[in-house]
Amino acid sequence: MISFTFHRLYRLHHFTASTTLLNGILFSHPYHFFNFNSNPFWRYTQFSSFTTNPLSSDFDSVVKRVCSLVSESYCKVQENTHFKSRHPKLKLPIDSEYLTQEQAITVVASLADEGGSMLALSFFYWAIGYVKFRHFMRLYIVLAIYLIKNGNFERTHEVMHFMLRNFCEVGMLKEAVDMVFEMQNQGLVLNAGSLNSVVSVATEMGHVEMAEKVFGEMCDRGVCPDSFCFESMVVAYCRMGRVVEADRWLSAMLERGFLVDNATCTLIMSVFCDKGSVNRVLWIFNKLIELGLAPNVINYTCLINGLCKKGIIKHAFELLEEMVRKGLKPNVFTHTVLIDGLCKKGWMDKAFRLFLKLVKSDNYKPNVHTYTAMIAGYCKQEKLNRAEMLLSRMQEQELVPNANTYTALIDGYCKVGNFDVAYKLLRVMDEKGLAPSIFTYNAVIDGLCKKGRVQEAYQMLKKGMQIGISPDLVTYTILMSQSCKLGDNGQAFALFSKMVKAGISPDMHTYTTLIAALCRQKKMKDSEKLFDDAVILGLIPTKETCTSMICGYCRDKNVAMAKKYFQRMGEYGCVPDSLTYGALISGLCKESKLDEARDLYNSMVDKGILPCEVTRLTVAYEYCKNNEPTIAMGLLDRLEKKLWIRTVSTLVRKLCSEKNVDVAALFFHKLLDKQQSVDRVTLAAFMSACYESNNYDLVSSMNERITKDFGESTVE
């Protein structure tokens, strides 16, 4: 056992001429080498009043007794432990009230000076177990300075880590960080471990901006960050859902050749996929493999799940094949996410084949989530008999349906308007002790709204709120959408305001619902303001949002603004579809800008986008009206035969109704060239138009051609 003589203690702790006056309190010899008065950080270490006079013998006797107790307890711990503990737990027969804060730092100094670092550290660990000492900064500083003096930097970093973590608890992380930098001035060599301590504590508490600042400052001070420093920043931003910042740090990490571990890889895959950055996460995944990461089943399953949620099923199965080639065995969760993805796509036959593969497997069997995915898929297609069959099957397998299973069934019955069974299933849930969630209520509310039973939907919401269920974003969006369909924009915006006041942030779908309603009423200034508000909030407009704006401006005969929004779609990562093109082409045609309409039509066909029948007919008809049927024919000739026949037949009837018989005859002749039969409606419309316009010669020549070329098989 280490002994401490009273003479040594007296010489060390008795206040002599070398004492220093600090904030009106005498401070003892061991700290004379640190200039406290000149250091601004000492303002954070408030001194408690002494329970004993520091100049009295009581002060020395308490210090001496505690040092002795620490020494005895430490030796006992070491004797009873085969391996030396890094943080020995002392059992002292005193509590925190026995010591003042001043006596505690004197004990630390005495133990460090006489017994060594480990003895002082053992008391330090005991002391910071009490709030009284945990947030007393001088305790950390005194011990750190002694450790630095002895060249024990590893233990100094350990003390600094405890200081950072404990002071972060009371909102003093910045002060603790400042003290770490001050310790560098006292001789502490900062390294990647120092940076890791600050970054890990700061990011765990959500202070990522401070972590970034410290990261930069430590690099400026010559610290070379390791992979763990970067990984902490990536993980922090991922947990906050801030993929742009996470990607920035991850890119910097990969540039240095650093790898993340499998757990972090899973987190990155999950968050990036949830935020829609699927293409980016695929690149990251391949880059990590290139750098040496050996992905496991969980990594692959997480990425496959992200792809399935985005409907990229083909690539998901390619990843499945890749993991099998690498000797990894897909588990029931891997198969379940694939089945769920197929079901959401509506590919139930493929989903069922994969489901049967699991049923026949000796290693893995479908679980509750697998059955629920299949049931939800069948309910989505209104195949409720099959859904009920699977429910019975899973119960035979002694699998207990959960709330999600019943919610899927309730949603299915609400879709077909069978609310009696839906309400019965709600009662079954109650009997089985399964609490319906807001998802369950949303399924019923949505079904009621779509069947026009709006008041009943509001009553259902009220009932849910009475049992503690709060409406979510989906609930409000359903009700807003229904109000917009009924033309009640006032109610829709009232719901929007109520939702925001409840602390629910609208998403782009919510904004699109309101924007579309305003556009239908040609209230373009209001819709433009909503659009801009969404962008300011950081929401990204979707294809549907932009299409609504384009339709609205075309209705309002402002095709210039419609073109502006069409051109901006690329900025938001939106790809226009046939509806988007059709809306703008229609607007251009109405303003007689046929050349622009033709260019746009050709552009969409070149990109493999099939024009809808309305678009095909509109652009062809407008050119016919403009006495340019040749151009109209050229545009329609780009269609495959079946669509060409359908469009030309409709165009002939349209031209005949407008008494434009001569142009109609041109297309009718082309129609006879393409096929051996003409539908009765088109033939009747053409013949009637010829008779009404007294164009008997045309009727005669057409009859001759029909009889000559096709006989009586011409008319269907």
Side-chain angles (χ1 to χ4, degrees):
M1 182 179 71
I2 301 172
S3 63
F4 292 89
T5 62
F6 178 73
H7 172 74
R8 180 64 175 160
L9 285 170
Y10 184 84
R11 184 174 66 80
L12 183 62
H13 304 298
H14 192 63
F15 286 74
T16 61
S18 63
T19 58
T20 305
L21 185 65
L22 173 64
N23 292 340
I25 300 174
L26 288 171
F27 209 75
S28 59
H29 165 78
Y31 326 114
H32 71 275
F33 51 83
F34 190 80
N35 187 356
F36 296 102
N37 289 320
S38 65
N39 196 301
F41 302 115
W42 292 103
R43 66 180 181 274
Y44 304 120
T45 58
Q46 301 299 322
F47 304 108
S48 61
S49 57
F50 287 109
T51 54
T52 59
N53 187 334
L55 293 176
S56 68
S57 59
D58 289 341
F59 185 92
D60 289 333
S61 63
V62 168
V63 170
K64 177 185 176 183
R65 181 165 183 261
V66 172
C67 287
S68 178
L69 290 171
V70 169
S71 188
E72 288 178 14
S73 180
Y74 178 80
C75 288
K76 286 180 180 178
V77 169
Q78 295 300 92
E79 288 171 2
N80 296 329
T81 307
H82 294 293
F83 302 99
K84 290 187 177 180
S85 173
R86 187 168 181 83
H87 300 153
K89 295 181 180 180
L90 301 182
K91 295 181 180 179
L92 303 181
I94 56 172
D95 59 28
S96 62
E97 295 305 314
Y98 183 77
L99 281 171
T100 65
Q101 291 177 331
E102 299 301 321
Q103 289 168 331
I105 59 174
T106 307
V107 169
V108 166
S110 302
L111 292 171
D113 202 36
E114 293 293 328
S117 301
M118 284 306 299
L119 206 57
L121 278 164
S122 66
F123 173 74
F124 168 78
Y125 297 135
W126 175 85
I128 61 174
Y130 297 94
V131 176
K132 178 178 179 180
F133 303 118
R134 188 181 303 139
H135 304 130
F136 181 47
M137 189 172 281
R138 279 204 295 145
L139 180 66
Y140 298 86
I141 295 168
V142 169
L143 179 55
I145 289 174
Y146 265 101
L147 292 170
I148 292 169
K149 182 183 176 184
N150 294 333
N152 194 340
F153 294 133
E154 182 184 354
R155 292 292 187 173
T156 310
H157 286 299
E158 199 173 292
V159 171
M160 291 294 98
H161 181 76
F162 278 106
M163 180 181 71
L164 289 163
R165 186 167 294 282
N166 293 337
F167 275 81
C168 189
E169 293 175 356
V170 291
M172 292 179 66
L173 178 60
K174 183 181 183 301
E175 292 79 0
V177 169
D178 290 341
M179 190 52 68
V180 171
F181 287 129
E182 179 58 33
M183 287 298 104
Q184 185 185 29
N185 297 335
Q186 300 303 316
L188 176 63
V189 178
L190 298 180
N191 56 23
S194 317
L195 180 53
N196 278 326
S197 290
V198 178
V199 169
S200 62
V201 171
T203 53
E204 281 176 25
M205 298 298 176
H207 303 303
V208 286
E209 285 77 14
M210 181 182 290
E212 284 216 31
K213 184 179 178 182
V214 172
F215 196 103
E217 187 170 346
M218 283 212 177
C219 289
D220 292 341
R221 289 172 177 253
V223 175
C224 185
D226 60 13
S227 63
F228 298 108
C229 301
F230 284 98
E231 191 167 346
S232 294
M233 295 301 301
V234 172
V235 168
Y237 278 122
C238 280
R239 286 175 176 164
M240 296 171 73
R242 293 167 62 175
V243 294
V244 175
E245 292 87 347
D247 196 4
R248 172 165 54 86
W249 281 94
L250 183 60
S251 297
M253 186 176 182
L254 297 177
E255 283 174 10
R256 290 163 174 77
F258 292 145
L259 274 175
V260 297
D261 58 25
N262 289 99
T264 304
C265 178
T266 299
L267 177 64
I268 293 167
M269 303 295 109
S270 177
V271 173
F272 275 60
C273 287
D274 287 345
K275 296 296 179 179
S277 302
V278 178
N279 291 333
R280 179 60 179 166
V281 86
L282 283 168
W283 182 90
I284 291 168
F285 186 70
N286 291 326
K287 184 67 176 177
L288 288 171
I289 293 174
E290 182 185 317
L291 290 173
L293 178 73
N296 56 27
V297 173
I298 298 173
N299 297 147
Y300 273 106
T301 300
C302 185
L303 188 52
I304 288 170
N305 185 38
L307 290 168
C308 288
K309 283 182 178 178
K310 292 298 175 182
I312 311 173
I313 307 298
K314 183 181 177 182
H315 203 145
F317 274 93
E318 287 172 359
L319 279 177
L320 178 70
E321 292 171 4
E322 181 182 312
M323 67 184 290
V324 171
R325 282 197 304 270
K326 291 184 176 181
L328 298 172
K329 292 183 178 180
N331 56 28
V332 66
F333 301 103
T334 316
H335 284 96
T336 297
V337 297
L338 285 165
I339 288 169
D340 188 52
L342 291 167
C343 290
K344 284 184 168 64
K345 272 283 190 180
W347 299 342
M348 293 307 300
D349 290 342
K350 292 180 180 179
F352 190 67
R353 284 198 294 271
L354 190 56
F355 176 79
L356 285 179
K357 184 179 177 182
L358 267 185
V359 170
K360 296 174 182 178
S361 170
D362 294 328
N363 298 320
Y364 303 109
K365 294 294 181 183
N367 59 22
V368 174
H369 305 293
T370 320
Y371 274 99
T372 299
M374 289 296 300
I375 289 169
Y378 281 127
C379 287
K380 186 179 178 181
Q381 294 189 348
E382 300 181 4
K383 296 178 180 178
L384 297 172
N385 289 337
R386 293 189 181 185
E388 290 283 2
M389 179 191 70
L390 281 176
L391 179 68
S392 301
R393 171 72 179 172
M394 71 182 291
Q395 289 172 329
E396 288 171 8
Q397 299 297 314
E398 297 183 351
L399 294 171
V400 181
N402 58 25
N404 293 334
T405 315
Y406 284 107
T407 297
L409 285 164
I410 289 167
D411 184 45
Y413 280 106
C414 288
K415 275 182 168 60
V416 299
N418 193 340
F419 295 101
D420 291 338
V421 176
Y423 291 144
K424 180 183 176 182
L425 286 168
L426 278 170
R427 291 192 293 272
V428 170
M429 286 182 72
D430 185 53
E431 290 168 5
K432 292 182 178 293
L434 297 171
S437 65
I438 187 59
F439 303 107
T440 317
Y441 277 88
N442 284 343
V444 180
I445 291 167
D446 185 50
L448 289 168
C449 285
K450 284 177 178 173
K451 297 299 179 182
R453 297 162 66 167
V454 181
Q455 291 304 317
E456 197 174 337
Y458 277 98
Q459 288 171 7
M460 176 59 64
L461 176 60
K462 184 178 179 181
K463 181 180 176 182
M465 293 174 72
Q466 287 172 350
I467 61 172
I469 291 176
S470 300
D472 65 359
L473 176 62
V474 176
T475 319
Y476 281 107
T477 303
I478 291 168
L479 296 173
M480 278 186 272
S481 179
Q482 183 62 28
S483 298
C484 290
K485 286 177 183 176
L486 297 173
D488 191 352
N489 287 359
Q491 173 68 3
F493 278 94
L495 286 165
F496 183 83
S497 298
K498 187 175 181 181
M499 178 184 74
V500 173
K501 286 179 182 176
I504 300 171
S505 299
D507 64 3
M508 200 63 234
H509 179 61
T510 313
Y511 274 101
T512 301
T513 300
L514 296 174
I515 287 168
L518 291 170
C519 288
R520 282 192 292 270
Q521 297 180 2
K522 300 181 184 179
K523 296 181 178 178
M524 298 313 299
K525 287 186 178 179
D526 293 336
S527 61
E528 190 171 349
K529 184 180 182 304
L530 267 184
F531 188 99
D532 292 340
D533 288 346
V535 173
I536 290 169
L537 287 173
L539 299 174
I540 301 173
T542 63
K543 175 182 64 182
E544 291 74 21
T545 320
C546 295
T547 301
S548 294
M549 294 296 293
I550 291 166
C551 287
Y553 277 115
C554 287
R555 285 193 192 99
D556 201 34
K557 298 181 180 180
N558 189 347
V559 76
M561 285 298 294
K563 286 161 63 178
K564 176 185 172 184
Y565 276 89
F566 184 84
Q567 290 159 1
R568 287 173 63 183
M569 290 182 75
E571 298 174 18
Y572 307 124
C574 303
V575 178
D577 60 9
S578 62
L579 293 176
T580 318
Y581 276 103
L584 187 52
I585 288 170
S586 176
L588 290 166
C589 288
K590 286 177 182 176
E591 293 195 14
S592 300
K593 296 181 178 181
L594 297 184
D595 289 342
E596 288 186 53
R598 179 177 60 181
D599 291 342
L600 201 59
Y601 180 94
N602 285 326
S603 174
M604 71 182 294
V605 174
D606 290 341
K607 292 175 181 176
I609 301 171
L610 182 67
C612 68
E613 187 164 1
V614 173
T615 305
R616 301 192 302 262
L617 186 62
T618 298
V619 72
Y621 177 71
E622 289 298 325
Y623 269 106
C624 290
K625 270 177 63 179
N626 205 40
N627 292 320
E628 296 179 281
T630 307
I631 296 176
M633 283 184 183
L635 291 172
L636 295 180
D637 282 344
R638 300 195 65 182
L639 301 173
E640 57 100 10
K641 183 178 177 181
K642 188 176 180 180
L643 290 178
W644 186 94
I645 291 170
R646 185 191 306 166
T647 308
V648 170
S649 298
T650 307
L651 179 61
V652 168
R653 295 195 296 269
K654 175 73 173 172
L655 290 168
C656 289
S657 69
E658 298 288 335
K659 303 295 188 281
N660 195 344
V661 180
D662 291 336
V663 177
L666 293 174
F667 283 95
F668 194 82
H669 277 294
K670 289 276 289 184
L671 192 59
L672 292 174
D673 291 340
K674 283 274 186 180
Q675 64 172 3
Q676 293 184 358
S677 60
V678 180
D679 68 89
R680 293 178 182 277
V681 176
T682 305
L683 181 60
F686 180 71
M687 292 300 183
S688 297
C690 289
Y691 283 120
E692 288 173 7
S693 61
N694 298 319
N695 202 332
Y696 301 111
D697 290 340
L698 186 57
V699 173
S700 177
S701 64
M702 196 63 65
N703 277 330
E704 286 178 10
R705 181 180 175 187
I706 292 172
T707 305
K708 179 182 176 182
D709 294 345
F710 309 110
E712 294 185 2
S713 65
T714 306
V715 180
E716 288 182 339

